[in-house]
Amino acid sequence: MNFIWYLIWFVVAVGLLVTVHEFGHFWVARRLGFKVLRFSIGFGRPLLTRVAGADRVEYVIAAVPLGGYVKLLDEREGPVAPQDLPRSFTHRPPWQRILVLLAGPASNILFAVLILWAMLWANGITEVRPKVGDVTSGSLAAHAGLQSGDEIRAINGVAVSSQRDVVFDLLDAMSGRGQALLTVRGSSGETRQANLTVGDATERRRLTEPAELFQGLGFQFWTPPVPPVLGPVTPDGPAAHAGLAAGDRIIAIDGRPVSDFRQIVEYIRAHPAERVNIDYRRGGALHTVAVMVGSEDAGGGRRIGRILVRQPAGISYPPDMLLHTSLGAGAALARAGDEAWSMTMLQARLFWRMVLGRVSLKNLSGPLSIAEFAGDSAEAGVASFMSFLVLISLSLGFLNLLPIPILDGGQILFQLVEWLKGSPLSERAQALGQQVGIALLIVLMGVALYNDIARQFG
C-alpha cells in the first residue's frame, strides 16, 4: 500500500514539474519565432493527441509520465521545406537558442518562487527558535562550551533566527573550512561564543552524510517532551514483526523504565542486531515482546539500531519557541526570491564540494527516495507537499543548468562556443560531448540508485 501511495505522488510531482519545465521551452520558442512540432508530456505511446494552431503543433500526453520534451523544427533530423528554414532551430541566432534552452530551468525556479510567494503571503513565516537541547558529554560541542538551553544567534558572523538557518549554515561551514563560530545567548541572558572546529577532512566529509551533522558535533535542538507512545509502525519492520502497533505505550526496555520517546530511540540505536525485551501497555493490559533490532550503516564503520517506528503525531512547540511573521504581498515576494536564491546557491556550493570530494556522495537521492519524500509530504498535508515541490523544482532547475552536454546547460555551452567562434561545433565534437554527458548521468544515477537501495535495506 505504501508503495502505491509513494508511486502516485511521485508521478504527480514529476509530471507537474516536467510540464512546467517543458512549457518554459515551448513558450519562449513560440515567442521567438521557432517552429514547434510537438509538445509532449511523458514518453512512449501517445495516449491523447491534439493538433492545433497555424503550425499544426502536436500536443501529446504519453504513456510514461516520467519526462517530456518539446520538439523543434531542425534540419539535422530530416528534410525541411525551404519556406520553413528561417524558423529551424539551427537557423535562429545563437542568443535566441540560448534563451529557449534557459527557459526550462528558469521556469522551474520561477515556479518555486511563485509557490513560496503564495505560501508566505497566505501563512506568513513560522520559525522554530534554534535552542540547544541535549549536549553529548565529551563531544566537540561540549568542548566548545555549548550548553543545554543556549540559543544560537549567529554563525560565522551571519545572524540566524531558526533551526533551518542553523542546519544550512552548519552544513555549509563543515563542508567548507570546517569552522563554525557560534554566537549564543545563554539561559541566563549572557552572550558568548562557541567555536566548533573540525580540522580533519575525513571527519568533515562524514559530517555531511545524512543525519550525521548533529550526531557528529554532539548536540541536538531542544524539542518538546514526547510521550513514549508509538506513532506509525513501518510494515515488515522489526517492530511490526514483533507485533508492536501504533498507540502502544512503551513502559520499559530490557527492564529499564522509559518516560520519553527519545529514550526509546537512544536505547535502540545503541543495540544494533541485538534482541531486546520491550514492556508495553495496550488497552490497559501489560505485554512483553522480544524484538530483533535491525542494523543500519551509520558511516565511519559504525552501525546503529532501528526498529522502524515513528514518534506520535500532534507534538507541538510551546508559543515562546515559535517566531511568526505575517507578510504582505510585496514582502512575501521579496522573501520568496531571497529564499530561492539562497537555496540554489547552497545547492551549487554543496554540489561543487561533492565533486571535490568534500561532501558525501550519500546525499545524492534517486527515484526511490524522492518517491518516498513525495508520499510522506503528501500524507503530512498540502503545505508540506508544496514545500517538497519547491525543493524539487529548485533542484531540477539547478541540475539542468550543469554544463553536461545532454542537459540544457551543456547545450547552452555548445551554443556559446558557436556564438564565439562564428561556426557550429563539428558533429564529431557534439557527438563526443553527448557520449560524455550520458556517461556522467549514468554514473550520477547509479550512485543515487545505490544510495536509495542502501537506505531501504540498510
Side-chain angles (χ1 to χ4, degrees):
M1 184 61 183
N2 276 350
F3 172 77
I4 300 299
W5 177 261
Y6 292 156
L7 179 62
I8 290 171
W9 288 105
F10 176 72
V11 169
V12 169
V14 171
L16 177 59
L17 296 182
V18 166
T19 300
V20 168
H21 182 95
E22 297 303 331
F23 181 77
H25 291 311
F26 171 80
W27 190 84
V28 172
R30 291 287 297 269
R31 294 302 177 277
L32 292 177
F34 290 75
K35 185 167 183 177
V36 179
L37 302 179
R38 182 179 299 128
F39 180 12
S40 177
I41 302 303
F43 295 112
R45 184 172 63 87
L47 300 178
L48 294 173
T49 301
R50 181 170 180 246
V51 179
D55 285 339
R56 308 301 291 164
V57 179
E58 283 187 321
Y59 297 91
V60 177
I61 297 178
V64 183
L66 299 178
Y69 62 93
V70 172
K71 185 176 182 180
L72 303 178
L73 183 68
D74 192 329
E75 68 268 27
R76 295 171 299 181
E77 299 180 1
V80 174
Q83 67 271 20
D84 285 334
L85 272 176
R87 300 182 65 194
S88 170
F89 182 80
T90 54
H91 280 68
R92 306 302 297 175
W95 67 269
Q96 291 189 359
R97 292 181 239 156
I98 290 171
L99 286 179
V100 170
L101 291 165
L102 277 172
S107 293
N108 284 122
I109 294 171
L110 178 61
F111 179 71
V113 171
L114 291 176
I115 293 180
L116 269 175
W117 178 37
M119 293 174 65
L120 293 174
W121 190 8
N123 303 319
I125 304 171
T126 299
E127 301 174 305
V128 182
R129 289 168 50 188
K131 185 176 179 181
V132 176
D134 293 334
V135 177
T136 305
S137 177
S139 66
L140 183 66
H143 286 304
L146 206 61
Q147 300 174 12
S148 179
D150 288 343
E151 183 177 347
I152 301 172
R153 307 302 297 272
I155 298 178
N156 289 335
V158 178
V160 294
S161 59
S162 68
Q163 292 184 1
R164 196 192 69 158
D165 290 344
V166 172
V167 172
F168 286 169
D169 286 0
L170 281 180
L171 186 59
D172 196 17
M174 289 301 123
S175 63
R177 294 181 299 172
Q179 184 170 22
L181 183 63
L182 275 57
T183 302
V184 303
R185 185 176 66 183
S187 53
S188 58
E190 82 286 0
T191 299
R192 65 182 194 283
Q193 293 186 322
N195 192 358
L196 302 177
T197 302
V198 181
D200 182 67
T202 302
E203 177 62 14
R204 290 202 301 269
R205 186 175 183 277
R206 189 184 69 80
L207 289 176
T208 66
E209 295 180 6
E212 282 300 311
L213 181 62
F214 289 93
Q215 187 75 17
L217 293 177
F219 79 96
Q220 301 292 333
F221 290 126
W222 182 89
T223 55
V226 181
V229 176
L230 301 187
V233 176
T234 301
D236 297 326
H241 279 305
L244 292 171
D248 291 343
R249 187 179 190 91
I250 307 302
I251 306 300
I253 306 178
D254 286 339
R256 302 186 180 199
V258 295
S259 57
D260 189 279
F261 190 86
R262 284 169 292 234
Q263 292 175 307
I264 302 173
V265 174
E266 291 170 5
Y267 193 88
I268 295 299
R269 284 175 64 93
H271 294 81
E274 296 183 21
R275 189 177 300 276
V276 300
N277 293 312
I278 296 181
D279 300 327
Y280 66 97
R281 188 188 305 277
R282 179 187 296 173
L286 290 174
H287 306 271
T288 300
V289 67
V291 180
M292 187 64 197
V293 179
S295 179
E296 183 175 296
D297 182 13
R302 299 184 304 111
R303 301 198 71 82
I304 59 173
R306 296 283 300 277
I307 60 172
L308 300 183
V309 299
R310 299 184 193 176
Q311 70 179 39
I315 307 301
S316 59
Y317 286 89
D320 65 346
M321 279 292 295
L322 301 176
L323 302 172
H324 181 79
T325 305
S326 297
L327 298 172
L333 182 59
R335 180 64 180 255
D338 183 63
E339 291 269 340
W341 172 258
S342 298
M343 285 189 280
T344 301
M345 289 300 99
L346 180 61
Q347 280 187 90
R349 289 195 298 274
L350 294 180
F351 187 86
W352 176 241
R353 291 169 187 172
M354 190 179 295
V355 172
L356 297 177
R358 289 154 56 182
V359 170
S360 173
L361 289 173
K362 292 182 179 180
N363 290 285
L364 286 175
S365 295
L368 297 179
S369 292
I370 295 172
E372 188 172 350
F373 297 151
D376 288 344
S377 64
E379 188 175 6
V382 174
S384 180
F385 186 68
M386 291 296 104
S387 297
F388 165 79
L389 285 179
V390 167
L391 291 175
I392 298 300
S393 195
L394 288 175
S395 295
L396 186 61
F398 166 73
L399 289 173
N400 268 282
L401 287 173
L402 294 177
I404 297 175
I406 199 172
L407 300 178
D408 293 327
Q411 296 302 313
I412 291 169
L413 185 61
F414 284 166
Q415 306 308 319
L416 285 172
V417 171
E418 177 179 338
W419 197 0
L420 291 173
K421 71 191 288 283
S423 61
L425 284 171
S426 67
E427 290 187 7
R428 181 179 179 183
Q430 293 190 47
L432 178 61
Q434 295 286 358
Q435 291 168 1
V436 171
I438 291 171
L440 286 173
L441 279 184
I442 289 174
V443 170
L444 287 175
M445 291 172 63
V447 172
L449 187 58
Y450 173 83
N451 288 343
D452 279 359
I453 294 171
R455 290 185 189 112
Q456 293 295 321
F457 299 102

